[in-house]
Every structure is written in C-alpha cells, then in structure tokens.
Amino acid sequence: MTLDRFGDRFGRRFGHFVAIDWSGAAGERHKGIAVALATRGTATPRIVRPGHRWSRCEVLAYLRDELPDDTLVGMDLGIALPFADRGAFFPGWPDSPGSARELWALIDAICADEPHLGVSALVDHPDLSAYFRRHGGREGGQFGGGQGRFRVTEAAQRRMGCKPYSNFNLVGAAQVGKSSLSGMRLLHRLADRASVWPVDGLPAKGPVICEIYTTIAAMAAGRTASRSKMRSAGELDDALAVIGCAPSGLVGPLDDHTCDAILTAAWLREAAHDPGLWRPRELSDEIALTEGWTFGAV
C-alpha cells in the first residue's frame, strides 16, 4: 500500500465538500437526488438549487462545470462491482474488464444510446444479464444465489452495523444496483475533470470523488443504522450538533434525501481529516483499482 494512493495528504487540501444523494430510478428527473455543499468551518451545508428536481445529467454538468478544484465530493452509490471474491467482475465472460475504470467505460459504451444515464441496455444485455437479479423473478445463473456477491468494502460496512445490498441485485426498494450502475456512467464521463478515490489515489490537485454511504454519516452523528433516515429539521439539527455543525436553519418536515445530503456533507468535512479513513487496513492496490472503497468504512 502506498500513502500517495490512499491519502498521505488526507483532507488538508480540501476546502469544499459536496454530498450527493443519488438515484437510479427510471426517467429524467428525480426527487431522490439532493446535492449539499459545505465549506471549511462549522456552518451548515447548503442545499444546491433548493426545490429543484435534478436530472442525473444535470448533476454530471454540475460536477464538470461548477466545482472548485479543492472539492471533495461524496456520492451515495457503489463505484464498482464485486471483483475480489471471484477474480473478475463477470467471471467466465471473455470480455470482462480488469479495472474499475474499464468497467465504467464498458457500461457507458453498452448504454451509449440510452438517455438520462440509464442502464437498461446493460442489465438486459444477452451475456451480462446472467450476472444480475432482475424484476419478475429473473435471477441470472451467475448471480450467485442468496443475497448475491459483495465487495470487500461492503463486508466492512456490515461489520459496522450497516446492511449493504449487492450491486448485482436490482430488485427491492432498498436495492442500490441501478443507481450504482448509472453512477458508473457518470464517473466515466468525468474522467478528464475529477479523480475518483481510491481508484486514482489522491492527486495533489483537482476535485476528488469518493463513494459514501449516508448511513455511516448518520451513525457518526449518533443515530443507529435502523434509524439512519431523518425526516424533520429537529432530527437533522440534533444529528448536526453531534458532529459539531451549526443548526440547519430549516423548520418542520423535510424529505430524507435533503437530510442525508446536508448531514453527510457536514460529516465529510470532518471525516476528511481522519487519516485512518483514507487508509483502511483491507484496502490493497488491487482492491483500489478494481472494487474501490466506501469512504468511512473501516
């Protein structure tokens, strides 16, 4: 393991912190997407474009065109598929890519004609559909049964008390597979603008994107995994206070996406200075280049 790859500089170079609650739902615009921005200090993160219903392509444009170079971006999605358990993303398929960046390029190429960063062309692919569990009881022969395959970082999440889902599982209200796959298309299209930790290490300059799991931020703010979702300004302010952040200034009921984005941006601002989070003990070079990691999972 090299410190350059895993964060010798830690969070010292970041002055802006963005948390994005992401969505893989069908269609163009989604109430499930929220973007919050924090700066140094203890001020409450602000929602970017409050009241706006984002499209995934608008988030892509925001990340490409509006980020200061000292921004750390946390995206609530899985940045890769499992690799370490079977030595391949798609074991047995001769064209299975060998790295996360090659995986992102493959997904974007297969889905190139699909609007809104959609991924139906991938999950219905004549060869690759065998690796996914899809709606209608369609479980591919390569899915693996049970809960499906998991990355090493998801095993770390489970030890922390979280309940991750396999990115090969596309069924159920809590599944994250489609949002992760659409996010991989976005990451591929940002290759010339932002680095992705730990796939690209931690460069000395330029925006950096990392994978986040909003439940980890909520747990750091005193909530349990089963109570990670907040839906009121009171709940949000109580959580912000635990991590030393000023109150939100909001009142009344809130949607959980807004709460997740605000709290996670505030947590990311504090957590970025923790050297241990940049160097998880199980994060090898191979895992970094293939599966990636969830920032905050230890």
Side-chain angles (χ1 to χ4, degrees):
M1 180 181 295
T2 63
L3 295 185
D4 182 60
R5 172 170 295 282
F6 300 123
D8 192 24
R9 290 171 288 277
F10 312 128
R12 291 193 297 272
R13 76 173 186 82
F14 297 115
H16 296 81
F17 306 86
V18 170
I20 300 176
D21 204 22
W22 186 246
S23 173
E28 181 179 5
R29 298 188 178 275
H30 307 282
K31 65 180 181 180
I33 296 179
V35 182
L37 170 66
T39 54
R40 288 194 182 106
T42 60
T44 308
R46 64 175 180 85
I47 288 292
V48 179
R49 302 179 198 172
H52 179 66
R53 184 167 287 201
W54 289 83
S55 71
R56 286 185 286 267
C57 290
E58 285 179 334
V59 175
L60 172 61
Y62 171 75
L63 295 176
R64 176 178 295 281
D65 301 332
E66 299 186 39
L67 290 185
D69 279 349
D70 66 347
T71 304
L72 177 62
V73 179
M75 296 196 69
D76 187 24
L77 52 85
I79 62 172
L81 296 171
F83 186 99
D85 63 333
R86 298 183 63 185
F89 297 119
F90 306 110
W93 188 52
D95 296 323
S96 185
S99 70
R101 283 211 168 270
E102 291 171 342
L103 174 66
W104 306 341
L106 172 73
I107 294 171
D108 199 42
I110 290 174
C111 303
D113 295 331
E114 195 165 344
H116 319 311
L117 298 180
V119 292
S120 295
L122 174 78
V123 300
D124 294 331
H125 188 276
D127 296 324
L128 300 182
S129 61
Y131 296 85
F132 294 93
R133 174 186 284 155
R134 298 176 290 164
H135 288 90
R138 296 175 297 166
E139 181 174 309
Q142 295 285 348
F143 177 75
Q147 294 182 318
R149 297 168 57 200
F150 288 90
R151 297 180 295 157
V152 177
T153 191
E154 289 151 357
Q157 294 171 16
R158 190 178 292 113
R159 291 194 298 270
M160 297 173 70
C162 301
K163 296 180 180 180
Y165 281 71
S166 171
N167 287 333
F168 282 114
N169 175 42
L170 310 177
V171 179
Q175 63 88 12
V176 295
K178 287 185 178 178
S179 61
S180 296
L181 294 170
S182 66
M184 293 177 209
R185 291 192 66 185
L186 175 143
L187 295 176
H188 174 67
R189 295 185 178 205
L190 287 171
D192 61 346
R193 173 62 181 127
S195 302
V196 179
W197 179 88
V199 175
D200 304 315
L202 188 61
K205 61 182 180 179
V208 175
I209 299 172
C210 65
E211 172 184 330
I212 55 172
Y213 189 0
T214 57
T215 297
I216 293 176
M219 292 169 66
R223 301 183 68 86
T224 64
S226 61
R227 294 181 57 253
S228 64
K229 295 301 180 185
M230 298 160 287
R231 295 179 175 85
S232 73
E235 288 182 303
L236 175 60
D237 286 349
D238 288 345
L240 289 171
V242 172
I243 58 175
C245 182
S248 66
L250 303 173
V251 295
L254 299 172
D255 65 83
D256 58 298
H257 309 294
T258 295
C259 292
D260 281 348
I262 291 175
L263 178 64
T264 306
W267 167 80
L268 192 61
R269 175 173 60 195
E270 299 303 311
H273 298 280
D274 183 346
L277 298 183
W278 292 104
R279 295 187 293 179
R281 59 182 178 275
E282 294 181 275
L283 182 53
S284 65
D285 282 303
E286 181 179 16
I287 290 173
L289 290 170
T290 54
E291 296 191 346
W293 198 262
T294 310
F295 186 74
V298 294

